């Protein structure tokens, strides 16, 4: 999911909010989705920058339709409420990130495997998967905010619904959780059914690579420039985008490929008409070795390769990023050619799962791993 707090109201949905104990955030679903190969070259496919003869078709099952949910957490009452939801046109959501200041902007990567219709042979150059990273504009939710909590017709989860930890895995509790999930999906499907995500910009991650499998387009993480944080914002989202792009090697957003076969790419989207590639790593052609030859990793190589790569953008030095690489953490300077400028060797014995900079103190990072 991706979150923002109402206390930094700015350009957020509800600019009149004054409570500092209410937090709103987005959650995306990841029901497995597929793309169907079609012989038609419809305009919709061209508008979405989808390769010829390929269109995204979700299953006609309301309970399995992938959505972006707008949630609100109230600290005072310890309640989590569902405000509204939007259908995600690109299917299964692999990553998502809200703009740090402009809350009606959210970037997602969606997609899934590709299959050919029954009776049709798969061609040699057909893609195995299709993914697309898109910047969306969400509809104004002020209408939903005008309703009182007592009139809320969605789903609310409160502390009264909690159970003791000893009973968490009990059969009755599991059945209750499934029942609650079904009610949540049912309630969400009836909220803002006419509201749709509006595509603003397509970010062509991995589309210029020689590989045609499609998996290289899968993005596991999306990072906004730390300079866009509300504390350093000018108050004008477009002006902030232009300002961050004016710096040496500057860009606004980074897409982190799922693994080493997919690049880490810095983009300039300040024109709001196209995404310009500013800097990118060189992906590997094969599955990363994760330092093969070290016996302790042989048993975990499959698990390591299944983990999405993670990255962190240095808030103190805008041209520096860190990224996970098997058991190591590597550093890049986006003003230089795409090669490692530093390495934290063996940060975690069985693989690094995440990395994050300290926002208050420079040159201090935290990592997590499968130790």
């Amino acid at each position: 999911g991706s979150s923002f707090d109402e206390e930094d109201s700015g350009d957020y949905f509800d600019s009149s909010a004054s409570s500092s104990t209410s937090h709103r955030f987005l959650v995306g679903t990841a029901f497995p989705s597929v793309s169907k190969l079609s012989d038609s070259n419809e305009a919709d496919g061209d508008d979405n920058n989808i390769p010829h003869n390929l269109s995204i078709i979700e299953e006609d099952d309301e309970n399995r339709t992938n959505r972006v949910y707008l949630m609100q957490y109230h600290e005072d009452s310890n309640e989590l409420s569902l405000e509204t939801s939007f259908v995600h046109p690109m299917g299964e959501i692999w990553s998502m990130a809200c703009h740090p200041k402009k809350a009606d902007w959210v970037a997602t990567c969606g997609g899934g495997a590709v299959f050919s219709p029954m009776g049709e042979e798969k061609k040699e150059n057909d893609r195995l998967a299709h993914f697309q990273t898109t910047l969306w504009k969400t509809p104004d939710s002020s209408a939903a905010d005008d309703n009182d909590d007592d009139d809320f017709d969605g789903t609310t989860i409160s502390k009264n619904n909690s159970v003791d930890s000893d009973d968490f895995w009990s059969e009755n509790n599991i059945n209750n959780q499934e029942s609650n999930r079904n009610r949540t999906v049912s309630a969400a499907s009836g909220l803002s059914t006419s509201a749709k995500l509006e595509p603003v910009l397509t970010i062509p991650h991995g589309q210029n690579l020689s590989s045609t499998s499609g998996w290289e387009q899968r993005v596991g993480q999306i990072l906004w420039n730390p300079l866009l944080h509300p504390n350093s914002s000018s108050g004008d989202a477009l002006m902030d985008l232009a300002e961050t792009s004016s710096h040496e090697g500057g860009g606004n957003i980074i897409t982190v490929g799922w693994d080493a076969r997919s690049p880490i790419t810095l983009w300039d989207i300040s024109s709001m008409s196209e995404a310009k590639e500013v800097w990118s790593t060189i992906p590997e052609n094969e599955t990363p070795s994760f330092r093969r030859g070290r016996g302790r990793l042989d048993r975990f190589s499959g698990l390591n390769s299944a983990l999405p790569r993670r990255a962190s953008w240095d808030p103190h030095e805008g041209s520096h990023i860190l990224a996970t690489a098997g058991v190591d953490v590597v550093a890049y300077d986006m003003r230089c050619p795409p090669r490692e400028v530093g390495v934290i060797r063996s940060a975690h014995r069985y693989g690094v799962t995440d990395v994050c900079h300290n926002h208050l103190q420079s040159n201090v990072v935290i990592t997590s791993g499968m130790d």
Side-chain angles (χ1 to χ4, degrees), residues 159-170 173 176-177:
K159 59 185 177 182
N160 296 328
N161 294 333
S162 61
V163 296
D164 295 335
S165 58
D166 293 340
D167 298 331
F168 183 81
W169 294 108
S170 65
N173 186 45
N176 290 336
Q177 291 181 51

Side-chain angles (χ1 to χ4, degrees), residues 155 176 178-188:
T155 299
N176 290 336
E178 181 66 18
S179 177
N180 289 336
R181 190 191 71 83
N182 292 334
R183 286 199 300 270
T184 300
V185 172
S186 177

Side-chain angles (χ1 to χ4, degrees), residues 70-85:
L70 175 59
M71 313 288 291
Q72 183 160 348
Y73 174 68
H74 307 273
E75 287 188 6
D76 294 339
S77 58
N78 195 28
E79 289 184 345
L80 178 65
S81 61
L82 170 62
E83 292 192 13
T84 187
S85 68

Side-chain angles (χ1 to χ4, degrees), residues 97-140:
C98 287
H99 187 279
K101 184 64 179 176
K102 194 170 178 59
D104 58 350
W105 284 2
V106 57
T108 68
C109 175
V114 171
F115 72 95
S116 300
M118 291 284 291
E120 294 187 13
E121 294 185 2
K122 195 170 184 65
K123 300 177 182 178
E124 182 178 353
N125 294 328
D126 283 345
R127 291 180 179 272
L128 301 176
H130 174 71
F131 300 90
Q132 181 170 301
T133 304
T134 309
L135 174 62
W136 306 93
K137 185 178 185 299
T138 59
D140 187 357

